[in-house]
Every structure is written in structure tokens, then in C-alpha cells.
Amino acid sequence: MAKLILSMDGLVLKEIPLLKDRMTIGRKANNDIQIDNMAISGEHAAVVTILNDSFLEDLNSTNGTMVNGQAVKKHFLKDGDVIELGKYKMKYLAASTTSGESTDYAKNMLVESMPMPESVKASDPTGSSIGPAAAASLPVAAIQLLSGSNAGRELHLTKTLTTLGKPGVQVAVIARRPQGYFLTHVEGSRFPVLNGRVLDAQAHRLEDHDVIELAGVKMEFFLKG
């Protein structure tokens, strides 16, 4: 499991395992990682973890977020990266990868361009897939667009991760896991809507014929058998 090591002035203050799909960092008490310091915004940044990979996103903080001395808005975290929030530092220690999954997809996942009408995109730059045993037991699934001129088009969920949405506005991913297909919010102030209900930051397992609303587009998740 990946974790963050929080320190200030070289003194380690806390070890924080990344237990949730999305963990927020900020001054307010409702954050998963609270840093009570005026240099830290109320909701400063978030770390999104998908499978064995984590992304850092600055939540339009007042003083900004830095990684290894460089200001960032979104950053794919690599083992040993140092996140800087004011006087505080958090060292990212990646989880050990034992599943054989490639992690290269993450570097471009949120900015991979595959233009589609209605600002919907689907991509998985790795071309990687889950293991044969899991793949054999998991039904093939697809997303069908329900709105706009592209209505009726199907996107087959054959890869480990499928990215949906519009970068800079709203992005979510569908992860193909041995236990099923899971929808997770990645980017944007608004969370995806599933069957008319606004989701939270956690991963949600998708069921046959679930309707997703994302970046102004409606789409249906369904199992193909």
C-alpha cells in the first residue's frame, strides 16, 4: 500500500497510508489529511489512488502545491516524490507492484487526447490488461452514449482503465478489477451522477444498465455477456 510521510523541518510527524481512492489534504477538519496551518488552504490538494498508482491534484489552493521543487496542478506521483505544502513536506512511497500491471499509463492518463463529440473520451494508453484468470471470470462490458449526436456509440471496456470525461472540467475512470467494474471520480469540482444520485469520492461498483452522467453526457453501462 502506498503512503505519505509527513514532515516539517526534517522532523517526521506522521506516516499516512493511502487507504481511500481519494484523500483530501487541507486546513479544515473535514479533510482526510488535516494540516492546521494558515499557509494551507481549507481544501488544498487531493491524492487519487487507482490500483497501484496515485495522482496529486492541487484544488486551486491559494499558495499552490509543489512536487520536487516544481509547482504543479496535476502530477503522477512516483516513488520518492516530495510534495511541498508551505513548510510541510510529504514524501510519497509507492506500493510494491506485484500484479505485473504497467504503471506507464498514468503519466498521460488525464491528458491523453482521443477527441470525440460531446467531450467524451475513452482511453487506456498502456494497452495492459488484467490477468487471464480474472479476465476469464469477468463479463465483458461496454458504455453506450445516450445523449448528443453520438448517441448509440459503444465504448468497449476491454482495458484495465478507461478514462471518461473532459480534462479540466470533469474526469472519471472505470477500473476493470477481478471483482467487477468500478467508477471513480478523478478530477473536477462536481462528482459523477449514477442513476440520478451524485456519487462521493469513493469507488462505486457498476451494475448492469447503470446510467452515468459525466461532463454533460449521459451514458449507460451494460454487460455484454
Side-chain angles (χ1 to χ4, degrees):
M1 179 183 298
K3 58 187 176 181
L4 298 172
I5 307 298
L6 178 65
S7 66
M8 185 178 69
D9 296 330
L11 178 66
V12 173
L13 303 176
K14 195 174 183 181
E15 182 176 302
I16 306 159
L18 298 177
L19 299 172
K20 297 166 63 177
D21 293 293
R22 187 174 190 269
M23 296 185 69
T24 57
I25 306 165
R27 193 178 68 253
K28 293 180 180 178
N30 63 334
N31 287 282
D32 299 296
I33 304 170
Q34 184 189 16
I35 303 177
D36 191 7
N37 183 281
M38 291 306 295
I40 310 297
S41 295
E43 293 181 350
H44 196 105
V47 176
V48 176
T49 300
I50 303 167
L51 301 178
N52 292 318
D53 300 295
S54 297
F55 310 86
L56 174 70
E57 178 185 2
D58 180 81
L59 300 177
N60 297 316
S61 63
T62 301
N63 294 320
T65 302
M66 301 183 76
V67 176
N68 304 329
Q70 300 292 320
V72 300
K73 284 295 183 183
K74 298 183 187 68
H75 179 79
F76 167 59
L77 289 167
K78 301 181 292 296
D79 188 44
D81 275 354
V82 177
I83 303 166
E84 300 173 51
L85 307 169
K87 294 182 178 180
Y88 291 84
K89 293 184 178 182
M90 286 190 286
K91 186 173 184 177
Y92 173 76
L93 298 178
S96 58
T97 303
T98 58
S99 64
E101 293 286 356
S102 169
T103 59
D104 290 341
Y105 74 85
K107 297 176 184 177
N108 297 311
M109 189 180 74
L110 295 182
V111 296
E112 173 74 10
S113 59
M114 183 182 290
M116 291 177 58
E118 309 301 329
S119 301
V120 173
K121 68 181 194 133
S123 59
D124 178 18
T126 62
S128 62
S129 59
I130 59 177
S137 61
L138 192 63
V140 176
I143 289 287
Q144 184 175 55
L145 303 183
L146 300 178
S147 62
S149 58
N150 228 27
R153 179 170 180 177
E154 291 185 9
L155 309 173
H156 289 221
L157 304 177
T158 58
K159 304 300 183 181
T160 304
L161 288 175
T162 300
T163 310
L164 301 168
K166 183 178 181 180
V169 177
Q170 194 178 26
V171 175
V173 296
I174 295 177
R176 189 171 188 248
R177 302 176 182 175
Q179 302 87 351
Y181 295 86
F182 291 81
L183 178 70
T184 304
H185 172 78
V186 172
E187 177 189 351
S189 58
R190 294 183 300 113
F191 288 84
V193 175
L194 182 66
N195 300 325
R197 182 172 64 90
V198 179
L199 299 182
D200 55 23
Q202 301 307 303
H204 290 263
R205 182 170 179 167
L206 293 170
E207 303 293 342
D208 197 18
H209 299 300
D210 276 351
V211 175
I212 303 164
E213 295 178 55
L214 181 70
V217 177
K218 279 190 176 184
M219 56 196 82
E220 180 184 357
F221 169 86
F222 65 96
L223 300 174
K224 295 181 69 68

